[in-house]
């Protein structure tokens, strides 16, 4: 009798090892970004640590712990995640848990009017968790679970899309209405819209066409509003609060209020110009000592460019480009719609954050408070970005093992 060889799953690797078949370029770029992020968070936080060196140590240690946790979760997901997991009860429970966590945030003190964090006091410091970052990942997983790889030409459109649409709408509604976090809500909606365009199920085609048209209309409206002529239009919009109108006006002309709402953008632009080609040198930023709010979070790129110059900026963009283009590279080759959605969803997650952060701090678009991936201080976002790459690496490895077409 012939010996029959049974197909085996890859042997488990150590918890800090990636699965065989992962993309080394994505992995390397991510590790370099995480390392740069820890260094720059330490540098940008030096002003806050004047006279209190312990706070600087705690800041760096917290970010390092979050990055290490993210790496462990990334490695775990890359080895264990399968597309079939999206059909199980565990995924449904995770969805319910995420909605509960989003609701729990409203019972904790807010920051700048936003109740987007769960705060856990730990002795001399405090750990904050932002569930909306995980909601962004969950959004493209929900689209993959409910809309991908289906062939139901006679089904009604609403019967197909109602579950992912309702779940996404609930999460977006909580983030906007209860947490007052417009930026995170906008990212979540964009991720949903982009991944919604991927499934080729016939009943979805008309709505996908409408979505593309709405996208072009939104782009034209955004260009109009952000033009000099748009200032008078913004003042007349009844659904915008005063501080939201201020963000639009400051994006159009930050010198409209140079010591108020426009101060951060002006200081950011000065930092970009002052950095020059090679920068002042690591740790040598002047702006971070000049009452520069959010220097280690939203505006960390301004400190980065001031210290490392445009050469450092271009290197950073190169690392982001490697991750995004490698994800798209595999998405173009894989036939599985669920796999495509995960890869494109992860790429969109990175790309939208990069666009909103850089656009906001340079005055191209209104500030949204969106962190720069793996560079801005914020443990939850670092963990979430690494988890999204872990999911993507699992898909890539399965494709290379020919488990996916």
């Amino acid at each position: 009798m012939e010996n029959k060889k049974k197909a085996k799953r890859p042997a488990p690797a150590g918890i800090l090892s990636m699965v065989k078949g992962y993309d080394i370029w994505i992995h390397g770029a991510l590790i370099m970004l995480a390392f740069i992020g820890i260094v720059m968070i330490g540098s940008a936080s030096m002003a806050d640590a004047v006279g209190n060196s312990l706070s600087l140590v705690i800041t760096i240690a917290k970010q390092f712990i979050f990055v290490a946790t993210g790496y462990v979760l990334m490695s775990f997901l890359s080895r264990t995640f399968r597309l079939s997991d999206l059909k199980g009860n565990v995924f449904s429970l995770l969805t319910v848990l995420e909605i509960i966590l989003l609701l729990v945030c409203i019972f904790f003190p807010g920051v700048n009017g936003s109740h987007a964090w769960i705060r856990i006091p730990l002795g001399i410091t405090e750990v904050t968790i932002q569930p909306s970052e995980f909601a962004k990942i969950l959004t493209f997983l929900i689209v993959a679970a409910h809309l991908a790889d289906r062939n139901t030409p006679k089904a009604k459109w609403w019967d197909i899309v109602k579950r992912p649409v309702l779940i996404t709408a609930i999460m977006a509604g909580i983030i906007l209405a209860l947490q007052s976090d417009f930026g995170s809500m906008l990212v979540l909606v964009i991720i949903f819209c982009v991944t919604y365009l991927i499934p080729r199920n016939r009943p979805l085609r008309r709505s996908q066409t409408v979505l593309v048209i709405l996208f072009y209309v939104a782009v034209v409206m955004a260009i109009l509003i952000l033009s000099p002529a748009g200032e008078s239009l913004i003042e007349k919009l009844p659904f915008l609060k005063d501080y939201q109108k201020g963000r639009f006006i400051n994006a159009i002309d930050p010198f409209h209020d140079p010591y108020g709402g426009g101060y951060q953008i002006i200081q950011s632009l000065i930092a970009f110009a002052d950095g020059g080609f090679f920068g002042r040198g690591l740790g040598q930023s002047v702006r971070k000592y000049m009452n520069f709010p959010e220097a280690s979070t939203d505006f960390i790129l301004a400190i980065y460019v001031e210290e490392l110059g445009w050469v450092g900026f271009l290197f950073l963009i190169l690392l982001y480009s490697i991750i995004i283009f490698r994800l798209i590279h595999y998405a173009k080759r894989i036939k599985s719609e669920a796999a495509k959605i995960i890869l494109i969803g992860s790429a969109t997650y990175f790309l939208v954050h990069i666009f909103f952060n850089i656009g906001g701090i340079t005055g191209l678009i209104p500030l949204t408070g969106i962190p720069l991936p793996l560079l801005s201080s914020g443990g939850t976002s670092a963990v979430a970005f690494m988890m999204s790459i872990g999911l993507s690496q699992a898909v890539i490895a399965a494709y290379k093992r020919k488990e996916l077409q």
Side-chain angles (χ1 to χ4, degrees):
M1 295 177 64
E2 294 183 5
N3 292 327
K4 295 183 178 179
K5 294 182 180 180
K6 296 182 179 179
K8 295 182 179 180
R9 300 178 86 172
I15 189 64
L16 295 180
S17 299
M18 299 289 289
V19 69
K20 182 179 180 181
Y22 74 96
D23 186 89
I24 187 68
W25 290 97
I26 295 175
H27 187 73
L30 192 79
I31 297 303
M32 294 188 73
L33 283 168
F35 175 76
I36 293 171
I38 293 172
V39 173
M40 285 308 305
I41 287 166
S43 177
S45 302
M46 288 171 65
D48 297 330
V50 174
N52 183 12
S53 58
L54 180 60
S55 68
L56 180 61
V57 174
I58 292 173
T59 298
I60 296 174
K62 284 169 61 176
Q63 187 68 17
F64 177 81
I65 291 171
F66 272 112
V67 167
T69 302
Y71 188 84
V72 170
L73 291 173
M74 178 177 69
S75 301
F76 175 76
L77 289 171
S78 70
R79 293 186 295 110
T80 61
F81 176 73
R82 299 291 182 272
L83 293 179
S84 58
D85 296 336
L86 299 176
K87 307 297 182 182
N89 293 328
V90 174
F91 182 67
S92 299
L93 290 174
L94 288 175
T95 303
V96 174
L97 176 61
E98 173 60 25
I99 293 174
I100 293 173
L101 290 175
L102 289 172
L103 290 170
V104 168
C105 289
I106 64 176
F107 298 105
F108 290 85
V111 176
N112 298 325
S114 178
H115 294 265
W117 296 271
I118 296 173
R119 302 183 177 278
I120 305 173
L122 292 175
I124 60 175
T125 188
E126 180 183 69
V127 174
T128 58
I129 299 173
Q130 189 175 6
S132 59
E133 291 298 330
F134 301 121
K136 297 168 188 175
I137 300 174
L138 186 62
T139 297
F140 63 74
L141 292 179
I142 288 171
V143 175
H146 296 287
L147 299 180
D149 302 305
R150 294 175 180 269
N151 185 19
T152 52
K154 296 183 179 180
K156 294 182 178 179
W157 168 77
W158 179 245
D159 291 336
I160 299 173
V161 305
K162 62 182 177 183
R163 290 191 67 181
V165 167
L166 289 175
I167 294 171
T168 303
I170 289 171
M171 294 193 297
I174 294 172
I175 293 171
L176 179 62
L178 301 182
Q179 294 188 358
S180 299
D181 188 355
F182 177 79
S184 292
M185 183 280 298
L186 186 59
V187 174
L188 185 146
V189 170
I190 291 174
I191 290 173
F192 176 84
C193 291
V194 171
T195 52
Y196 181 84
L197 297 175
I198 296 174
R200 296 292 86 193
N201 201 344
R202 185 178 298 175
L204 302 181
R205 291 178 183 174
R206 183 174 297 177
S207 60
Q208 290 170 335
T209 302
V210 172
L211 198 60
V212 171
I213 294 172
L214 290 175
F215 168 76
Y216 284 112
V217 171
V219 170
V220 172
M221 290 182 63
I223 293 173
L224 175 63
I225 290 174
L226 294 174
S227 68
E231 187 172 340
S232 59
L233 175 62
I234 293 168
E235 292 287 358
K236 298 176 182 178
L237 295 177
F239 55 85
L240 289 180
K241 298 179 181 178
D242 289 340
Y243 77 91
Q244 292 172 328
K245 292 179 181 179
R247 288 184 177 183
F248 277 94
I249 293 171
N250 289 324
I252 297 171
D253 179 16
F255 293 94
H256 174 84
D257 187 14
Y259 299 105
Y263 179 79
Q264 286 175 288
I265 298 176
I266 292 171
Q267 293 301 314
S268 176
L269 294 173
I270 294 173
F272 270 82
D274 199 29
F277 201 67
F278 294 104
R280 286 177 166 270
L282 183 62
Q284 302 303 311
S285 167
V286 175
R287 302 267 81 73
K288 63 189 177 187
Y289 295 105
M290 298 178 63
N291 190 28
F292 193 5
E294 314 298 340
S296 65
T297 52
D298 300 351
F299 283 82
I300 196 169
L301 182 63
I303 306 300
Y304 175 89
V305 174
E306 185 183 6
E307 294 186 352
L308 300 179
W310 287 96
V311 171
F313 176 74
L314 292 175
F315 179 68
L316 193 70
I317 296 300
L318 174 64
L319 295 178
Y320 286 133
S321 298
I322 288 172
I323 293 174
I324 293 169
F325 283 109
R326 293 298 289 176
L327 291 172
I328 296 173
H329 166 81
Y330 288 105
K332 289 169 63 178
R333 284 158 176 76
I334 296 176
K335 294 181 181 179
S336 167
E337 291 180 348
K340 283 180 181 288
I341 288 170
I342 291 173
L343 294 172
I344 296 298
S346 295
T348 304
Y349 184 24
F350 272 82
L351 185 60
V352 173
H353 268 254
I354 294 166
F355 174 77
F356 280 145
N357 182 273
I358 297 178
I361 69 172
T362 54
L364 295 176
I365 60 174
L367 285 169
T368 56
I370 297 297
L372 194 61
L374 295 166
L375 202 72
S376 296
S377 177
T380 309
S381 64
V383 171
F385 280 115
M386 297 182 94
M387 288 177 65
S388 73
I389 292 300
L391 295 167
S392 299
Q393 291 281 30
V395 169
I396 292 168
Y399 171 70
K400 288 186 175 181
R401 294 193 301 265
K402 302 191 184 302
E403 295 173 8
L404 284 176
Q405 295 296 320

